[in-house]
Amino acid sequence: MIVGKSIPRIDAADKATGRTKYTDDLCAKGALVAKICHSTVTHALVKSIDTSAAEAIPGVVKVVTCFDVPEHMFPTAGHPWSTDPSHQDICDRHLLEKHVRYYGDDVAAVIAEDEIAASRAVRAIKIEYEELPFVLDPEEAIKDGAPLLHETFPNNILKHTEIKKGNLEEAVKEPGLIKFDDWFETPTVQHCHIENAICFAWEEGGRIHVTSSTQIPHITRRCVAQALGVDWGLVRIVKPFVGGGFGDKQDALYEPLCAFLTTRVGGRLVKLECQREETFANCRVRHAIRYHIISWVRKDGTLVARKVDCWSNQGAYASHGHSIIAKGMGSIPQLYPCENVEINGWTVFTNIQVGGAMRGYGMPQVTFAVESQTEDIARKLGIDPLSYRRKHVMPKGFVDGFSKNELYYDSFNETLDLGAQYIDFERKFKEYQNQTGDIRRGVGMSVFWYNTGVWPISLETSACRMVMNQDGSIQLQVGETEIGQGADTAFSQMAAETLGIPFEMVHIVSNQDTDVTPYGTGAYASRQTYAAGMAIRGCAEEFKKHILDVAYRYTRMQPYLMDIADGNIVRTTDGRVLMSLGDLSLRLLYDMEQNEHLTMEKSTQIKSNAYSFGCGFAEVEVDIPMCTVKVLKAINVHDAGTLVNPALARAQVQGGMSMAIGYALSEKMLYDPKTGKLLNGNLLDYKLSTFMDHPELEVKFVENPEPTSAYGTKALGEPPALPLAPAIRNAILNATGVPLYELPMRPHLLFKRFSEEGLI
Amino acid sequence: MSEKQYKLVTCKINGKERSAMVDVRASLTDMLRNDYSLTSVKKGCEVGECGACAVIIDGECYNSCIYLAIWADGKEIETLEGLTGENGELNDIQQAFVDETAIQCGFCSPGFIMEAESILRTGEIYTDEELRKLLSGHLCRCTGYDNILRAVKKAMNERNGKK
């Protein structure tokens, strides 16, 4: 078995020596440098731009403004295209904007011979604005008379949807119900991939070529073509190694602008590289979502009815839009099944930067809200939180009517067993109640749930190509991208497994090129091993069948008497090695009678989805006078089905846990309420987890093979970021008796809450 | 005011004497990447926050993005390329990063490995807490740092003859 082995990742040695080439490493010397002139106001109409001083700076080649770009608008979200116009992403972007909608919006761009000239020219551009009132909060933005961002979206509502089930009004009349009525606040946060967004573009052969650090080359190709108003085939996207994406690069970021700029300078090579401050201020962020959850519960804890209102802060442009909050809304009646629900969600434009995809896609937000209230319910009813969850969480056998997802195993209890045991939950939970003193400890937990891929909301597809070399090794190609998560290694293991060849004989073509790579939508939705896995297995099985068919010509054995094992054609009846794949491939390719290039390509549509499950536990120490929280122990337990590569899986989970701890305790984009300007858009003032900020991260797995999956796998990329924020919140509650309803749980918040509760 | 000024910078880079005319405003990161194609030196922030550009200068690890190229005159610079053997052999730290799954996207890895190299050259044995602090100038968003700590510890213990 090759699937299931912790093989070192295939790109690790190159990355350890610095040989790996990322986008900037591939850009030819002498490329022109593009820099963007960002607005210094939050909401305004650009009245005029004076570029004369900028153009006079030596080295400046061209200044392009919002008055020079196409009038039509385009979308940026990294979603599969839909042939149904009502399901297509919202077109609300221009390459540069005359109507500035957030502080830092793109107004003009300079192309210069070097970075210094470009930067100086950007500063020399004079822009006259007609300033407009702005609004930063979604509940304010939705009110009549609030500043309007997009004329076609009254009250700034990008979309509102409702989930309604049962009869809430009648259900809540049941006598003796206990009502929980809470508001939850989650922050705007940023992905902080260490490689900034970067791309370069040039024209060649009458086409536009863009090399970009992107998760989604094929989708970006379409977005660039839409933005420029050209046929899709005229655009080529090349994706080198990517220095982290986490969803930010699941969007057309500056590829459309960079592609446009090369067309303004006769197709010369133009590089557009975001500075770290631009990655913070001008790329995408995780949506801040506010929840108002009212739950009616029987004394035994049974959820009788649930009413949820939620507002997602979209920022200035649609990007991934309503799909983020909608994913979370859909999870509410599934995680804790409830017969009577009314869930309303609004995605609202405001004058902050744009919310897009980020690891977890709306689920870290909703998991914090729901799992915090779950804890409060258990606490109020005097039920220990572990037993409460075991009793009320989605039961084995649960099927979701829409996705047809099914909980085939007792995954929740199995993962809870491992997590609770590691943290010694039951004992410590009791021991830590009713502590006194300045320093107190607590334990907390959270369960989570996640879908794999986007079916049936969107198209799920993947295509795979295998080409056999003369030595019997294969080149493997898929459109699903390696962005650091280890996809290439997992894909290679899958191909080796199904074809029956050694792992070393699979040479994956890592860097996607839309001219060459078969169609696949890219890295998102934790779909890689599930979607690409099906394409790889489907392709490998057909390829194997074809190889055995042609092997007949040399072995004279019927194909059904042969198999491929360890890179050889073997006779299954007696195990004899008949010839190696290298022999077969070589003889066939140079056969003077009937030669053939051995290759197989297969496109696979995926019409299923899979639930991924698990839980997280944390133990914390709270310093009450200092209002600080230290995480002492943390564990995530996942049932992500079969693990293709356990060591890589574990590493993925640890990264997600680190991100979740930052989300819980320290990360927040701060916007000046007076100006709308981002205040902490750099890696010093924005507090992501450092080496010092969390303990060793424990990871355990329950491997229940997913029945619908080619290799038993399901979502693992994003779910790790889900449980620890609510688990830490619940641990603080256990330690102090103080429930918190907001992230991040910084000293600022703790001071306020501890003061309110009389602890300090 | 805006006239470019160039200076000749002569320094030893990965064991070899090198000279180049560099813009006096250029950072050492710029010089190593642009003049010597040493692309292991990564740009993550260019203001000394992330550590991706770390190189060893006269035995000490620095963020090369906030170190002027002209300051390198007469110095001995080591980049990740210099740790790798002539035939592409990984050194012990590089190998430990591979073995301990300490690399994901790989963008922060060069900085971490150079930092680890400078830490381990002291010959000291550090506790986990000390190592965490010594490595804390480097940000990683993929790994959660655990496997990086394991890798550095493993190499440290091996260099010091401990298992």
Side-chain angles (χ1 to χ4, degrees):
Chain A
M1 288 292 283
I2 301 168
V3 164
K5 271 177 76 175
S6 290
I7 297 168
R9 49 184 302 148
I10 52 172
D11 52 9
D14 283 343
K15 286 175 173 174
T17 57
R19 273 197 292 260
T20 303
K21 297 284 183 261
Y22 301 81
T23 299
D24 192 38
D25 307 332
L26 292 167
C27 189
K29 279 185 187 173
L32 297 176
V33 174
K35 290 257 173 214
I36 299 162
C37 178
H38 300 287
S39 73
T40 51
V41 293
T42 295
H43 197 197
L45 299 174
V46 178
K47 302 311 287 179
S48 66
I49 302 183
D50 180 358
T51 59
S52 52
E55 279 159 348
I57 289 171
V60 171
V61 176
K62 188 103 181 172
V63 180
V64 178
T65 76
C66 53
F67 299 107
D68 305 325
V69 299
E71 285 294 326
H72 75 271
M73 293 187 280
F74 62 94
T76 65
H79 292 147
W81 179 246
S82 174
T83 53
D84 170 8
S86 70
H87 200 74
Q88 288 167 7
D89 288 309
I90 291 163
C91 295
D92 64 351
R93 303 286 294 225
H94 294 101
L95 290 161
L96 298 163
E97 293 292 347
K98 283 181 275 204
H99 180 173
V100 165
R101 295 180 177 90
Y102 75 98
Y103 193 103
D105 211 341
D106 310 329
V107 181
V110 173
I111 307 166
E113 278 163 9
D114 61 58
E115 210 179 316
I116 293 172
S119 298
R120 288 180 60 212
V122 163
R123 287 196 296 273
I125 293 172
K126 294 184 188 75
I127 304 170
E128 189 194 345
Y129 296 104
E130 178 190 326
E131 286 204 56
L132 302 169
F134 62 84
V135 60
L136 306 177
D137 184 274
E139 275 189 278
E140 292 299 318
I142 217 166
K143 287 178 182 164
D144 289 336
L148 191 65
L149 274 85
H150 298 272
E151 276 177 17
T152 45
F153 293 93
N155 291 75
N156 294 311
I157 298 170
L158 188 158
K159 199 167 180 179
H160 161 241
T161 53
E162 183 178 38
I163 298 173
K164 214 170 171 176
K165 203 175 132 191
N167 187 336
L168 187 131
E169 230 172 278
E170 282 303 310
V172 301
K173 289 177 183 163
E174 180 181 317
L177 292 181
I178 304 156
K179 187 176 165 188
F180 293 83
D181 185 334
D182 302 301
W183 290 78
F184 299 91
E185 198 81 37
T186 61
T188 303
V189 297
Q190 223 274 329
H191 314 68
C192 301
H193 36 77
I194 305 299
E195 181 199 30
N196 289 305
I198 177 171
C199 56
F200 57 84
W202 72 100
E203 285 186 281
E204 196 178 311
R207 301 167 76 215
I208 299 159
H209 305 251
V210 186
T211 297
S212 175
S213 178
T214 180
Q215 301 174 215
I216 48 163
H218 280 287
I219 292 176
T220 299
R221 175 197 212 186
R222 185 253 302 165
C223 293
V224 168
Q226 284 182 287
L228 271 59
V230 300
D231 290 340
W232 299 3
L234 291 176
V235 176
R236 170 185 171 218
I237 307 287
V238 177
K239 185 233 91 157
F241 280 93
V242 170
F246 309 112
D248 200 15
K249 297 172 184 172
Q250 192 206 335
D251 219 304
L253 294 169
Y254 284 115
E255 296 92 343
L257 179 60
C258 190
F260 177 73
L261 294 178
T262 186
T263 68
R264 301 295 91 182
V265 290
R268 290 175 69 185
L269 180 65
V270 176
K271 178 167 87 170
L272 200 166
E273 179 180 20
C274 281
Q275 300 298 296
R276 174 57 58 186
E277 293 73 14
E278 289 176 300
T279 293
F280 270 107
N282 308 106
C283 291
R284 305 293 177 262
V285 292
R286 189 191 292 290
H287 293 73
I289 304 180
R290 179 177 298 148
Y291 294 90
H292 181 203
I293 306 182
I294 310 173
S295 302
W296 288 267
V297 181
R298 291 196 191 111
K299 284 197 177 69
D300 68 351
T302 307
L303 271 171
V304 171
R306 205 157 220 187
K307 184 173 175 1
V308 181
D309 291 322
C310 44
W311 298 265
S312 178
N313 191 341
Q314 179 53 50
Y317 300 98
S319 178
H320 284 252
H322 196 64
S323 45
I324 306 277
I325 197 173
K327 177 155 187 163
M329 289 163 67
S331 77
I332 293 172
Q334 295 182 57
L335 187 61
Y336 292 98
C338 179
E339 291 306 312
N340 305 289
V341 289
E342 273 181 38
I343 305 170
N344 281 276
W346 292 265
T347 296
V348 187
F349 288 114
T350 70
N351 296 105
I352 68 161
Q353 66 193 105
V354 182
M358 183 170 168
R359 193 178 203 171
Y361 212 78
M363 294 298 287
Q365 294 94 317
V366 76
T367 306
F368 171 70
V370 168
E371 279 298 80
S372 295
Q373 194 180 60
T374 301
E375 192 76 14
D376 289 3
I377 293 170
R379 187 178 168 88
K380 174 105 185 246
L381 300 179
I383 304 168
D384 85 82
L386 185 60
S387 314
Y388 182 89
R389 286 177 174 85
R390 287 189 193 277
K391 189 168 171 202
H392 297 285
V393 80
M394 180 195 288
K396 183 182 170 186
F398 181 91
V399 181
D400 175 43
F402 177 62
S403 65
K404 311 292 182 225
N405 276 354
E406 184 170 339
L407 173 43
Y408 297 98
Y409 305 92
D410 196 12
S411 299
F412 276 115
N413 280 313
E414 290 169 17
T415 55
L416 285 169
D417 287 346
L418 292 177
Q421 189 189 6
Y422 172 78
I423 217 97
D424 195 5
F425 185 80
E426 281 159 303
R427 187 183 68 77
K428 285 184 180 167
F429 183 79
K430 283 197 197 93
E431 187 188 313
Y432 291 154
Q433 283 174 327
N434 311 314
Q435 289 170 88
T436 53
D438 286 349
I439 310 292
R440 301 182 199 174
R441 289 189 173 188
V443 288
M445 61 173 298
S446 164
V447 293
F448 68 84
W449 162 105
Y450 206 78
N451 280 327
T452 309
V454 297
W455 180 264
I457 292 170
S458 293
L459 172 74
E460 241 338 329
T461 184
S462 174
C464 176
R465 181 185 300 138
M466 292 177 181
V467 177
M468 189 164 284
N469 300 311
Q470 288 92 328
D471 58 2
S473 65
I474 65 151
Q475 285 148 235
L476 170 65
Q477 289 185 59
V478 289
E480 281 64 39
T481 49
E482 170 65 64
I483 59 167
Q485 78 284 53
D488 281 353
T489 307
F491 296 157
S492 302
Q493 288 180 254
M494 292 172 174
E497 178 78 39
T498 303
L499 272 179
I501 63 176
F503 178 70
E504 298 71 28
M505 285 174 72
V506 179
H507 308 304
I508 192 159
V509 181
S510 179
N511 296 343
Q512 281 74 6
D513 175 340
T514 55
D515 273 7
V516 181
T517 310
Y519 187 84
T521 45
Y524 58 84
S526 303
R527 61 188 289 278
Q528 305 278 88
T529 64
Y530 192 74
M534 290 192 210
I536 291 166
R537 180 156 172 193
C539 185
E541 292 202 349
E542 295 229 351
F543 197 25
K544 185 171 177 174
K545 186 174 171 298
H546 179 66
I547 291 166
L548 296 177
D549 282 346
V550 296
Y552 162 78
R553 284 159 51 185
Y554 304 108
T555 64
R556 299 180 188 178
M557 290 295 126
Q558 295 303 322
Y560 53 75
L561 294 178
M562 294 184 289
D563 198 358
I564 304 173
D566 204 27
N568 295 309
I569 309 281
V570 294
R571 189 160 61 198
T572 51
T573 40
D574 60 358
R576 177 177 293 181
V577 173
L578 303 177
M579 69 193 303
S580 72
L581 278 180
D583 286 345
L584 173 72
S585 180
L586 194 73
R587 286 176 69 177
L588 192 61
L589 190 60
Y590 300 104
D591 194 316
M592 294 293 280
E593 297 297 321
Q594 196 183 354
N595 105 301
E596 186 184 329
H597 167 217
L598 273 174
T599 181
M600 183 61 65
E601 179 163 344
K602 200 165 163 22
S603 174
T604 304
Q605 186 173 5
I606 295 103
K607 293 192 176 186
S608 60
N609 199 314
Y611 277 136
S612 197
F613 305 100
C615 56
F617 287 78
E619 181 172 1
V620 301
E621 186 172 271
V622 185
D623 184 326
I624 292 171
M626 291 299 287
C627 298
T628 54
V629 177
K630 189 176 175 193
V631 180
L632 302 174
K633 269 180 138 179
I635 181 171
N636 266 23
V637 191
H638 290 250
D639 179 0
T642 306
L643 301 176
V644 179
N645 185 317
L648 286 182
R650 182 184 159 84
Q652 271 278 284
V653 175
Q654 289 177 324
M657 292 171 74
S658 178
M659 201 177 260
I661 292 171
Y663 193 55
L665 296 176
S666 57
E667 292 184 39
K668 184 179 189 177
M669 313 277 277
L670 300 167
Y671 299 94
D672 184 342
K674 292 194 196 80
T675 63
K677 186 184 177 183
L678 175 64
L679 295 170
N680 59 339
N682 59 70
L683 290 170
L684 190 64
D685 297 319
Y686 179 88
K687 302 294 184 189
L688 69 156
S689 295
T690 75
F691 230 122
M692 306 288 287
D693 293 318
H694 49 68
E696 197 180 323
L697 303 168
E698 182 61 24
V699 180
K700 288 188 191 295
F701 294 102
V702 172
E703 288 191 68
N704 289 320
E706 166 61 30
T708 65
S709 175
Y711 295 95
T713 66
K714 52 188 178 177
L716 185 67
E718 297 169 273
L722 269 47
L724 282 187
I728 290 168
R729 181 264 186 196
N730 296 337
I732 297 169
L733 174 62
N734 180 228
T736 64
V738 178
L740 302 171
Y741 297 93
E742 192 181 328
L743 292 176
M745 297 173 288
R746 300 183 298 163
H748 315 58
L749 175 70
L750 267 56
F751 177 75
K752 178 172 162 271
R753 291 289 295 130
F754 289 168
S755 305
E756 284 168 2
E757 301 281 340
L759 264 64
I760 48 175
Chain B
M1 159 196 104
S2 63
E3 281 303 298
K4 283 182 184 172
Q5 295 176 41
Y6 290 92
K7 268 193 180 167
L8 184 71
V9 174
T10 301
C11 56
K12 205 178 248 186
I13 302 176
N14 295 329
K16 285 192 181 131
E17 200 77 29
R18 308 295 294 261
S19 289
M21 293 296 290
V22 301
D23 190 316
V24 295
R25 298 164 296 188
S27 69
L28 181 58
T29 305
D30 291 336
M31 183 181 93
L32 293 171
R33 286 184 62 84
N34 301 338
D35 295 312
Y36 297 104
S37 297
L38 295 167
T39 52
S40 77
V41 184
K42 295 297 179 211
K43 294 190 289 179
C45 67
E46 297 187 83
V47 286
E49 291 162 356
C50 77
C53 64
V55 300
I56 295 175
I57 305 171
D58 284 350
E60 206 175 326
C61 200
Y62 286 89
N63 286 326
S64 64
C65 69
I66 48 171
Y67 189 99
L68 282 178
I70 51 171
W71 296 344
D73 194 51
K75 301 280 199 307
E76 189 170 347
I77 317 288
E78 292 169 79
T79 71
L80 184 59
E81 286 87 349
L83 292 193
T84 312
E86 274 182 24
N87 300 311
E89 308 93 331
L90 304 186
N91 90 348
D92 52 349
I93 300 171
Q94 293 170 313
Q95 189 62 52
F97 270 65
V98 172
D99 294 342
E100 295 300 320
T101 324
I103 295 172
Q104 289 192 36
C105 86
F107 210 77
C108 70
S109 308
F112 267 113
I113 294 171
M114 294 313 288
E115 188 74 64
E117 178 67 27
S118 80
I119 294 168
L120 265 52
R121 280 186 193 170
T122 63
E124 301 279 327
I125 301 269
Y126 296 102
T127 64
D128 285 7
E129 276 315 296
E130 286 168 335
L131 278 179
R132 282 182 179 274
K133 195 164 186 183
L134 287 165
L135 292 162
S136 64
H138 297 260
L139 296 173
C140 170
R141 195 60 149 170
C142 295
T143 64
Y145 305 104
D146 264 23
N147 288 348
I148 295 174
L149 184 68
R150 282 167 187 259
V152 177
K153 256 172 79 174
K154 184 180 178 188
M156 177 181 75
N157 289 335
E158 280 172 7
R159 277 198 196 184
N160 290 286
K162 284 171 59 177
K163 271 207 171 164

